[in-house]
Amino acid sequence: AQSVTQLDSHVSVSEGTPVLLRCNYSSSYSPSLFWYVQHPNKGLQLLLKYTSAATLVKGINGFEAEFKKSETSFHLTKPSAHMSDAAEYFCVVTSNTGKLIFGQGTTLQVKP
Amino acid sequence: EPEVTQTPSHQVTQMGQEVILRCVPISNHLYFYWYRQILGQKVEFLVSFYNNEISEKSEIFDDQFSVERPDGSNFTLKIRSTKLEDSAMYFCASSARGGGFYNSPLHFGNGTRLTVT
């Protein structure tokens, strides 16, 4: 069965410093992987998706994620955090029927 | 950019009452979904819907739940007799093609917060 584990429930960074949100996945086949973001009182917005065409995936707002099959990881990074990045981030894998399986979420706090 | 819209944003109901949560998916999308997030827990799949039929449902989606596409634009989730444990944020989503695979990601609405008292 497919699953994802987000290794940190809460990450705090200072504005202008790098962001790293960690995600490990489990899948019996080549997975479809996503990162979604949820700002307070907003819906789930797609940040980026792994297409299998390239292991380094670029998303919106300067975020990137690198697919590492050997480590079964899909960590989300950003070189420089902005205050507006404060939100809940979800790593997501699809099941073999296509439904989305969410990780527990990581709350990103950005300090001035 | 087209959006999935959900109404109402917040619904308060008494235990045992029926509620209908409404969604307008993106107009050219064919696959529709409901997910929910109980406070402090993971977002979890409820049901997927295509061609006027349920494609897949989770074990959460028992007989008290139903979905319907009453016309060409709306997609609804009905809970017949609400329980306290139904309190959650309910998200509607749609996709152009099925499966949520990388070539057809899901687009989510802002959610309806359901509070059962």
Side-chain angles (χ1 to χ4, degrees), chain A residues 4 29 31-34 36 38 41-46 49-52 88 90 94-105, chain B residues 6 33 35 37 40-45 48 56-58 89 91 93 98-111 113:
Chain A
V4 288
Y29 55 87
S32 293
L33 291 160
F34 306 85
Y36 279 85
Q38 184 181 23
N41 300 314
K42 296 289 186 182
L44 295 158
Q45 181 184 17
L46 180 66
K49 58 186 179 184
Y50 169 62
T51 66
S52 78
E88 184 90 7
F90 295 95
T94 53
S95 73
N96 56 356
T97 60
K99 71 184 181 190
L100 301 188
I101 298 169
F102 283 75
Q104 305 92 311
Chain B
Q6 290 186 243
Y33 313 84
Y35 285 76
Q37 183 182 28
Q41 298 186 22
K42 291 185 183 185
V43 178
E44 51 191 355
F45 169 80
S48 58
E56 184 180 1
K57 60 183 181 180
S58 72
M89 179 73 90
F91 292 104
F101 294 108
Y102 66 81
N103 57 351
S104 185
L106 271 63
H107 296 260
F108 286 85
N110 284 352
R113 181 166 298 284

Side-chain angles (χ1 to χ4, degrees), chain A:
Chain A
Q2 286 68 42
S3 66
V4 288
T5 302
Q6 292 182 244
L7 300 171
D8 307 290
S9 60
H10 188 268
V11 169
S12 181
V13 301
S14 297
E15 190 175 21
T17 64
V19 175
L20 170 64
L21 305 183
R22 299 182 295 165
C23 172
N24 286 109
Y25 70 90
S26 172
S27 179
S28 55
Y29 55 87
S30 183
S32 293
L33 291 160
F34 306 85
W35 277 96
Y36 279 85
V37 61
Q38 184 181 23
H39 288 92
N41 300 314
K42 296 289 186 182
L44 295 158
Q45 181 184 17
L46 180 66
L47 263 184
L48 50 78
K49 58 186 179 184
Y50 169 62
T51 66
S52 78
T55 56
L56 184 61
V57 182
K58 294 188 183 299
I60 62 171
N61 300 333
F63 283 93
E64 296 182 344
E66 186 171 7
F67 174 73
K68 291 187 177 180
K69 186 176 180 179
S70 61
E71 298 177 9
T72 61
S73 69
F74 191 57
H75 301 335
L76 182 71
T77 61
K78 183 173 181 177
S80 175
H82 294 164
M83 295 298 293
S84 60
D85 293 329
E88 184 90 7
Y89 291 79
F90 295 95
C91 183
V92 179
V93 68
T94 53
S95 73
N96 56 356
T97 60
K99 71 184 181 190
L100 301 188
I101 298 169
F102 283 75
Q104 305 92 311
T106 298
T107 301
L108 176 64
Q109 180 187 23
V110 182
K111 297 178 289 187

Side-chain angles (χ1 to χ4, degrees), chain B residues 2-13:
Chain B
E3 291 184 344
V4 175
T5 56
Q6 290 186 243
T7 55
S9 57
H10 192 186
Q11 173 96 43
V12 180
T13 189

Side-chain angles (χ1 to χ4, degrees), chain B:
Chain B
E1 184 175 324
E3 291 184 344
V4 175
T5 56
Q6 290 186 243
T7 55
S9 57
H10 192 186
Q11 173 96 43
V12 180
T13 189
Q14 288 190 325
M15 195 168 52
Q17 295 297 304
E18 175 182 288
V19 294
I20 298 176
L21 309 183
R22 303 181 189 279
C23 169
V24 178
I26 294 173
S27 62
N28 62 345
H29 284 184
L30 301 176
Y31 295 81
F32 314 111
Y33 313 84
W34 285 99
Y35 285 76
R36 80 173 184 187
Q37 183 182 28
I38 295 172
L39 189 63
Q41 298 186 22
K42 291 185 183 185
V43 178
E44 51 191 355
F45 169 80
L46 289 179
V47 66
S48 58
F49 190 86
Y50 169 71
N51 199 26
N52 285 320
E53 289 184 344
I54 290 174
S55 308
E56 184 180 1
K57 60 183 181 180
S58 72
E59 57 191 28
I60 303 166
F61 195 89
D62 60 22
D63 291 344
Q64 71 161 340
F65 291 92
S66 63
V67 289
E68 190 179 29
R69 188 155 164 81
D71 53 44
S73 60
N74 291 283
F75 180 52
T76 62
L77 174 68
K78 182 192 291 186
I79 310 175
R80 289 191 183 82
S81 178
T82 50
K83 305 171 187 170
L84 293 176
E85 54 265 35
D86 293 329
S87 294
M89 179 73 90
Y90 288 80
F91 292 104
C92 175
S94 68
S95 64
R97 289 187 282 177
F101 294 108
Y102 66 81
N103 57 351
S104 185
L106 271 63
H107 296 260
F108 286 85
N110 284 352
T112 293
R113 181 166 298 284
L114 177 66
T115 302
V116 182
T117 61

